[in-house]
Amino acid sequence: MPGPVDLARPAGLPDDLARLDRTLIMGVLNVTPDSFSDGGRYLDVAAAVAHGVRLRDQGADLIDVGGESTRPGAQRIAADLERERVLPVITELVDAGVRVSIDTMRAETAAAAVGAGACLVNDVSGGLADPDMHAAVAELGVPYVAMHWRAHSDRMEALAQYDDVVRDVVAELQARVSSAVDAGLPAERIVLDPGLGFAKDADHNWALLHELPQLLSLGLPVLIGASRKRFLGALLPGGDGQPRPVDQRDDATDAVTAIAAGLGVWGVRVHDVAASGDAVRVAAAWRRGRADG
Ligand code: PMM
């Protein structure tokens, strides 16, 4: 089995992130009023920056800043509002020496964020939401996360229909890679993400996690975003039979982190970075068969 140094990673990362000998921890920072887990907490720039620095200090390698909620049912916001939310936060985090990625579906926001110092573009739509995205990222020279996505959040639940979810998601992601490559974005800079919870029901998510080796076998780096998502709450109902609430899903998230890191994913996108950091280090030692790298 390959060691963690053999994890596939995208070209174009800053050296410190390219050198990591384990799965990368991406900490979630949503500057939104309505994201399902941290919505409303970090709309204020100072609070957002303080949280980003805290996540970095707890072990996040990269802080993923987003200004537009993608929770099921969410409506779109205006592009200028998205930029007003994220740019001051990115600028201050970069000034504080924090590595930042931008979570956006818009080429213009991606370009402005990279201009402010972000080092990776995380596009939950894989380029489907904005026809200019792939060419823009090609120009920007940074790595690009192409997540599996079918429609905006107000329509995605009706599109959770697959013949074979793993085969369909792999084929749709490969189509996004072809589109990116056609626009001049080299495949070496692309990270694939199965998009857990996006146009997927719980069994779709579990099937994709079960078949993660198939996604990894495509040879591109993989990012997994399971953190605190609804399918984890539904798996672990409380005594009242209700899904486990969002703030009690971190242990389950950490279990997914350990499995995904053990299988060799490049990165995990999580809210609770400290515990996922432990899980990643356990997985790295397990992959190596010894404690030290
Ligand atoms: N999930 C959310 C937002 N952005 N980006 C990637 N690449 N993968 C994900 O699974 C993903 C994402 C939604 O979760 P949040 O509201 O906690 O940010």
Side-chain angles (χ1 to χ4, degrees), residues 1 8 26 74 79 91 99 104 106 146 190 207 218 238 276 279:
M1 179 183 282
M26 178 187 271
T91 303
R99 293 284 183 208
T104 185
R106 290 190 175 96
I190 301 176
L218 300 179
S276 269

Side-chain angles (χ1 to χ4, degrees), residues 25 49 72 77 105 107 109 167 173 184 275-276 278:
I25 309 279
V49 171
I77 59 162
M105 294 181 258
T109 305
R167 205 186 51 210
L173 280 175
S276 269
D278 287 355

Side-chain angles (χ1 to χ4, degrees), residues 9-11 17 27 31 42 45 73 98 103 128-129 154 178 194 199 206 217 220 227 236 249-251:
R9 71 198 71 214
L17 298 184
V31 191
Y42 310 118
V45 175
V98 177
D103 185 346
L128 287 170
D154 55 347
S178 298
W206 288 118
S217 74
L220 293 182
S227 190
L236 306 165
R249 299 175 186 167
D250 283 331
D251 292 350

Side-chain angles (χ1 to χ4, degrees), residues 26 28-30 32 34-39 64 66 68-71 103 122-124 145-148 192-198 223-229 269-271:
M26 178 187 271
V28 178
L29 178 55
N30 288 316
T32 65
D34 56 341
S35 290
F36 78 97
S37 172
D38 55 355
D64 192 40
E68 181 171 39
S69 171
T70 51
R71 69 178 297 152
D103 185 346
N122 174 25
D123 177 2
V124 297
V145 177
M147 199 192 81
H148 178 263
L192 301 177
D193 183 329
L196 301 177
F198 287 79
L223 176 70
I224 291 294
S227 190
R228 299 183 181 167
K229 284 187 177 167
R269 183 181 179 279
V270 293
H271 301 86

Side-chain angles (χ1 to χ4, degrees), residues 1-273:
M1 179 183 282
V5 285
D6 302 323
L7 294 177
R9 71 198 71 214
L13 285 170
D15 279 352
D16 52 326
L17 298 184
R19 272 198 311 267
L20 282 182
D21 63 350
R22 55 165 170 77
T23 296
L24 171 142
I25 309 279
M26 178 187 271
V28 178
L29 178 55
N30 288 316
V31 191
T32 65
D34 56 341
S35 290
F36 78 97
S37 172
D38 55 355
R41 287 201 215 164
Y42 310 118
L43 259 181
D44 173 64
V45 175
V49 171
H51 188 59
V53 169
R54 188 160 55 235
L55 289 177
R56 190 270 311 269
D57 292 346
Q58 290 173 350
D61 302 299
L62 188 59
I63 303 297
D64 192 40
V65 178
E68 181 171 39
S69 171
T70 51
R71 69 178 297 152
Q75 302 288 322
R76 299 228 59 195
I77 59 162
D80 51 356
L81 176 59
E82 182 191 31
R83 284 196 297 277
E84 276 166 34
R85 286 179 181 170
V86 296
L87 291 180
V89 175
I90 293 171
T91 303
E92 285 200 33
L93 284 175
V94 169
D95 280 353
V98 177
R99 293 284 183 208
V100 173
S101 56
I102 174 66
D103 185 346
T104 185
M105 294 181 258
R106 290 190 175 96
E108 257 187 286
T109 305
V114 172
C119 66
L120 176 146
V121 173
N122 174 25
D123 177 2
V124 297
S125 83
L128 287 170
D130 184 340
D132 297 331
M133 180 62 104
H134 289 159
V137 179
E139 270 299 288
L140 292 168
V142 295
Y144 175 70
V145 177
M147 199 192 81
H148 178 263
W149 180 94
R150 284 186 159 177
H152 289 290
S153 299
D154 55 347
R155 292 194 301 120
M156 70 177 173
E157 296 203 335
L159 298 175
Q161 312 276 350
Y162 299 87
D163 289 331
D164 173 326
V165 65
V166 177
R167 205 186 51 210
D168 295 353
V169 166
V170 165
E172 289 169 38
L173 280 175
Q174 283 176 316
R176 302 322 306 148
V177 173
S178 298
S179 154
V181 169
D182 289 348
L185 174 49
E188 298 75 44
R189 266 203 264 144
I190 301 176
V191 176
L192 301 177
D193 183 329
L196 301 177
F198 287 79
K200 287 159 201 97
D201 66 22
D203 282 343
H204 295 142
N205 296 325
W206 288 118
L208 286 161
L209 283 171
H210 179 73
E211 292 296 339
L212 209 45
Q214 207 175 307
L215 192 57
L216 286 159
S217 74
L218 300 179
L220 293 182
V222 171
L223 176 70
I224 291 294
S227 190
R228 299 183 181 167
K229 284 187 177 167
R230 193 162 47 174
F231 74 106
L232 298 178
L235 183 77
L236 306 165
D240 57 1
Q242 293 303 306
R244 185 83 63 87
V246 171
D247 62 353
Q248 293 169 35
R249 299 175 186 167
D250 283 331
D251 292 350
T253 302
D254 302 335
V256 175
T257 293
I259 293 166
L263 288 171
V265 302
W266 167 71
V268 288
R269 183 181 179 279
V270 293
H271 301 86
D272 176 19
V273 304

